[in-house]
Amino acid sequence: MMQAPELRLRFAPSPNGRLHLGHAYSALLNARIARTLGGKLLLRIEDIDLGRARPEFVAGILADLDWLGLRFDGPIRHQSEHFADYAAARDALAARDLIYPCFCSRGQIAAEVAARQARGAPVLRDPDGAPLYPGTCRALSADARRARIGQGEPHTWRLDMPAALRTLADPLLIRRFSPDDGAEETVSADPARWGDAVIVRRDVPTSYHLSVVCDDAVQGITHVVRGQDLEAATDLHALLQHLLHRPMPAYHHHGLIRAEDGEKLAKSKGSESLADLRARGVTAEDVRARLGFSRLC
């Protein structure tokens, strides 16, 4: 008989600031589920944003997680050490004409969207509220693309959504699991609502979407536990897993910890960090109890 794969989860913060209560909740929940279901918990540092990631933030993350009493299995994976892996995935998609270079600036895209609105044309938006890319560069010829790249023109790489969807012989499904007993169900994915999403950024040979799909496969992640703010992105990740022939983890998207005004906590909004709480005398036990994890995970 074939042995079931080892259950593996991951906590994957970005070192562009200090962790806050929302991160603590996600990390503690991952630890609880790993313990409940008899799996391992890995740590990944998602530091592809070289302009914002800093060594002191990595050190701060490790200190905060240690303060919370969390322990992780295996080596830490740093995304910034694996750009070659992501470039190989990009090249595999490009070889099948599933992505294309886009030379449009944000200003040009905004102008095109505004012009469409002025003509009375409907403007579709992705789940994050941004207007869908109008497909300006999708129609460029292969020769025009090569010439512009050869001239060093800055560009992103976008998923050719219509071409990607044509590779699906069956409806795309996402596996969801219960954090209590691991029971699974499948739900339909709708990646088309993301349009021709950016798969490779201008500044680095990857994106959040491409990196997490590659990393989850390399690390053997079987179960992904993350916030509801990333639930819609799972549709896009499921499509990339299909296109790159990567295994699909089961997903659970938990509720978000919010500030008193109802807004989600965020580093960019200056939400109080775990380091700030610690500095004013709050203990790890206080934090765990506040978040519903009285027992150490």
Side-chain angles (χ1 to χ4, degrees):
M1 293 180 61
M2 292 183 63
Q3 188 175 7
E6 178 184 57
L7 186 144
R8 296 164 73 91
L9 296 90
R10 45 75 164 179
F11 178 60
S14 299
N16 52 16
R18 295 301 297 262
L19 300 186
H20 52 60
L21 285 173
H23 298 112
Y25 180 84
S26 191
L28 290 164
L29 181 59
N30 268 280
R32 172 184 283 175
I33 293 173
R35 183 192 66 216
T36 300
L37 301 182
K40 291 186 176 180
L41 178 59
L42 283 68
L43 178 61
R44 180 162 76 223
I45 302 296
E46 297 194 338
D47 56 351
I48 63 170
D49 192 340
L50 301 180
R52 298 174 64 199
R54 301 179 189 173
E56 59 266 32
F57 290 148
V58 175
I61 287 171
L62 299 180
D64 290 339
L65 295 174
D66 182 68
W67 176 68
L68 286 172
L70 291 169
R71 301 294 180 265
F72 295 86
D73 300 292
I76 301 173
R77 181 175 175 88
H78 295 259
Q79 287 186 332
S80 60
E81 299 173 359
H82 301 282
F83 284 127
D85 295 344
Y86 313 137
R90 173 203 63 198
D91 293 344
L93 294 172
R96 297 168 59 196
D97 292 324
L98 294 172
I99 59 175
Y100 60 88
C102 174
F103 305 93
C104 298
S105 67
R106 291 182 179 179
Q108 289 171 325
I109 295 172
E112 174 62 24
V113 170
R116 291 190 175 205
Q117 287 179 312
R119 296 194 300 267
V123 175
L124 301 178
R125 296 182 180 273
D126 68 24
D128 288 339
L132 292 187
Y133 177 64
T136 308
C137 290
R138 192 197 304 156
L140 290 175
S141 68
D143 288 341
R145 293 172 181 176
R146 281 193 294 268
R148 296 177 71 167
I149 291 174
Q151 293 168 2
E153 190 170 345
H155 59 281
T156 62
W157 286 85
R158 289 183 178 273
L159 184 66
D160 186 332
M161 185 60 73
L165 294 177
R166 287 194 293 271
T167 69
L168 294 170
D170 300 300
L172 186 63
L173 300 176
I174 294 171
R175 296 165 53 211
R176 287 181 179 172
F177 79 97
S178 165
D180 299 318
D181 58 11
E184 293 189 13
E185 64 175 357
T186 57
V187 296
S188 297
D190 182 18
R193 57 183 173 158
W194 288 99
D196 290 4
V198 172
I199 298 303
V200 176
R201 292 163 35 175
R202 291 176 185 268
D203 51 343
V204 292
T206 188
S207 64
Y208 167 74
H209 303 299
L210 185 61
S211 296
V212 297
V213 167
C214 292
D215 290 341
D216 284 343
V218 169
Q219 292 187 288
I221 302 302
T222 62
H223 293 68
V224 172
V225 177
R226 58 191 183 189
Q228 287 178 338
D229 53 336
L230 290 171
E231 187 167 8
T234 307
D235 290 3
L236 186 55
H237 299 172
L239 181 59
L240 287 173
Q241 288 155 0
H242 161 75
L243 297 175
L244 292 168
H245 308 293
R246 301 298 203 271
M248 177 187 289
Y251 291 88
H252 172 71
H253 292 93
H254 60 75
L256 303 178
I257 304 298
R258 298 187 178 275
E260 293 182 359
D261 61 3
E263 292 294 317
K264 74 172 185 176
L265 301 180
K267 300 170 188 172
S268 60
K269 297 178 181 178
S271 298
E272 189 173 34
S273 69
L274 298 182
D276 294 333
L277 293 172
R278 188 159 62 247
R280 61 182 180 87
V282 177
T283 68
E285 291 77 10
D286 294 333
V287 170
R288 291 197 299 268
R290 176 176 174 180
L291 296 175
F293 299 92
S294 295
R295 293 180 57 190
L296 183 63
C297 300

